[in-house]
Amino acid sequence: NEIKWLTMYITRELTGQLIDLGADYQTCTLERVFRLPYTLNKKEGYPTKLVTAEIWNRREWHLNELMDYVKPYKPMKKRSKLRTVTPLKGYKKGTRTLTQMNMARANDILNLVHIRNGEIENRNILTYDYAFALTLGSDMSHLEVLTATFQLDISFTSSQKKNVLKTTVKSAYERATKFWRAYEENNYSMRGLDSNLVKPKQTRTIIRQQAITAAEMEFLEVLIGKEEKERRRTDKRRDQGQKSMEQYNAERAQKVNSNLEKLRKLKEKYPKASQRKLAEMMGVSKSYINKLIKEL
């Protein structure tokens, strides 16, 4: 699977470099990388063709050699801790900027496709969300967003038609650009924007549309639900030394039992001592002594 993915990645990257010369992204899937000469190429709705080959160079290339000619890729890692960043004007301190959130969202979409091995049910919706997030999260041109989205589409087990893909990217790019201009003119605030303006989707909407599971969220950064957020906050507090609820309750019960034992010994030694006197001897409040006596 790793060799298969790497082969497709290199092919996509090299094809992207030749896109201006008419290179076709539809030929990047693994079954199209190398068709055996003199076999038949059958496609529904098109005449059957005999595959021929013209050898320009007999040199054999290894994948690690071809990697020198493309951008290095980083294997997907388990989520890292969220970092605090400097917010845009209008954002609360400690929150992420709109561009950073959308860039993280675009990366999460790539990771989601990788996790599912390209098996995405709502491909067109995810394609739109990716192009929209990429437009807001970077300074890419329309052509660059289109090229990146073509690479995403190739990762699907079933690619979309090129004209459908172009229409989807164009719509997402134009709407995202229009939103950003209005957002900028509105002093980087969502409040007061035109209600008819297409805004970035809420995270829970994307989670629902793509049916993202709790197990998948562990590998994502921002496309996560409330339970995953709370789990990460708990992990962070534990990393900082804060006790878990189970540990806190256990230590509290141990302390109460220790105080009960002290009180029992004091009452045996001073049977006529008042609650005030017992509280002074134990260094606690009278009300706490009263509570302990009820538990004896």
Side-chain angles (χ1 to χ4, degrees):
N1 286 337
E2 183 67 21
I3 294 177
K4 173 183 175 181
W5 187 89
L6 188 59
T7 302
M8 291 179 63
Y9 175 82
I10 293 173
T11 307
R12 289 198 305 266
E13 289 292 318
L14 293 176
T15 303
Q17 296 175 23
L18 302 172
I19 194 71
D20 293 335
L21 300 178
D24 186 4
Y25 268 119
Q26 299 297 324
T27 63
C28 293
T29 53
L30 198 61
E31 64 270 14
R32 295 188 180 97
V33 169
F34 178 62
R35 295 186 185 277
L36 292 176
Y38 309 111
T39 58
L40 297 179
N41 179 16
K42 296 182 179 181
K43 188 174 183 181
E44 187 176 353
Y46 294 87
T48 300
K49 295 182 180 180
L50 181 68
V51 177
T52 58
E54 182 179 354
I55 301 177
W56 291 358
N57 192 325
R58 293 186 178 276
R59 178 183 173 183
E60 295 182 358
W61 294 78
H62 295 284
L63 289 178
N64 58 350
E65 291 179 295
L66 293 174
M67 279 298 295
D68 293 336
Y69 297 91
V70 300
K71 293 186 296 184
Y73 79 98
K74 295 181 180 180
M76 185 187 65
K77 297 181 180 179
K78 194 158 180 150
R79 63 164 183 91
S80 58
K81 295 181 180 179
L82 298 179
R83 295 171 294 174
T84 302
V85 298
T86 305
L88 285 172
K89 190 174 182 180
Y91 269 67
K92 294 180 181 179
K93 183 179 180 181
T95 60
R96 291 189 162 207
T97 66
L98 184 69
T99 53
Q100 288 168 323
M101 281 294 295
N102 277 277
M103 200 64 225
R105 177 174 287 187
N107 288 330
D108 274 358
I109 290 174
L110 291 176
N111 277 343
L112 181 64
V113 175
H114 185 52
I115 291 169
R116 295 182 177 180
N117 293 319
E119 296 180 3
I120 302 295
E121 186 175 350
N122 300 317
R123 293 170 301 161
N124 189 258
I125 295 176
L126 192 67
T127 299
Y128 173 89
D129 293 338
Y130 178 71
F132 195 99
L134 204 57
T135 303
L136 289 181
S138 67
D139 57 355
M140 287 184 175
S141 65
H142 176 254
L143 179 60
E144 289 173 325
V145 173
L146 179 63
T147 302
T149 311
F150 267 121
Q151 294 180 352
L152 171 72
D153 185 68
I154 293 168
S155 301
F156 298 149
T157 52
S158 179
S159 299
Q160 304 168 83
K161 292 183 179 180
K162 187 180 292 187
N163 60 335
V164 173
L165 200 59
K166 286 183 177 179
T167 302
T168 302
V169 173
K170 181 181 179 182
S171 175
Y173 184 84
E174 290 178 349
R175 289 177 177 179
T177 302
K178 184 177 180 180
F179 163 78
W180 178 260
R181 288 171 182 167
Y183 177 73
E184 194 174 26
E185 291 172 0
N186 198 43
N187 200 24
Y188 301 104
S189 174
M190 299 286 281
R191 183 175 297 179
L193 288 177
D194 186 354
S195 58
N196 294 322
L197 190 68
V198 178
K199 304 176 182 66
K201 285 183 182 178
Q202 293 185 340
T203 298
R204 63 172 176 265
T205 301
I206 298 179
I207 291 175
R208 174 177 53 80
Q209 290 176 337
Q210 301 302 329
I212 301 176
T213 65
E216 290 172 335
M217 289 180 191
E218 292 187 18
F219 296 95
L220 305 180
E221 191 173 4
V222 293
L223 292 179
I224 57 177
K226 290 182 179 179
E227 292 183 358
E228 178 64 18
K229 288 180 181 179
E230 181 58 34
R231 189 183 70 81
R232 294 184 186 188
R233 281 194 291 265
T234 301
D235 288 347
K236 182 177 181 180
R237 288 194 294 266
R238 288 176 181 173
D239 291 343
Q240 293 173 345
Q242 187 169 337
K243 300 172 184 177
S244 66
M245 184 60 69
E246 293 80 7
Q247 186 179 0
Y248 171 79
N249 289 334
E251 292 182 1
R252 181 176 179 275
Q254 185 179 2
K255 184 177 180 181
V256 170
N257 291 333
S258 176
N259 286 332
L260 283 171
E261 184 62 27
K262 287 181 182 178
L263 180 60
R264 187 178 291 107
K265 290 180 178 180
L266 286 173
K267 286 183 69 65
E268 290 176 356
K269 188 174 183 179
Y270 307 102
K272 296 183 179 181
S274 65
Q275 290 187 14
R276 184 183 299 276
K277 189 65 177 179
L278 290 170
E280 290 177 358
M281 287 188 286
M282 288 187 62
V284 297
S285 66
K286 181 183 175 182
S287 59
Y288 184 64
I289 289 294
N290 185 41
K291 186 183 296 185
L292 290 176
I293 288 176
K294 292 178 180 179
E295 296 186 26
L296 283 175

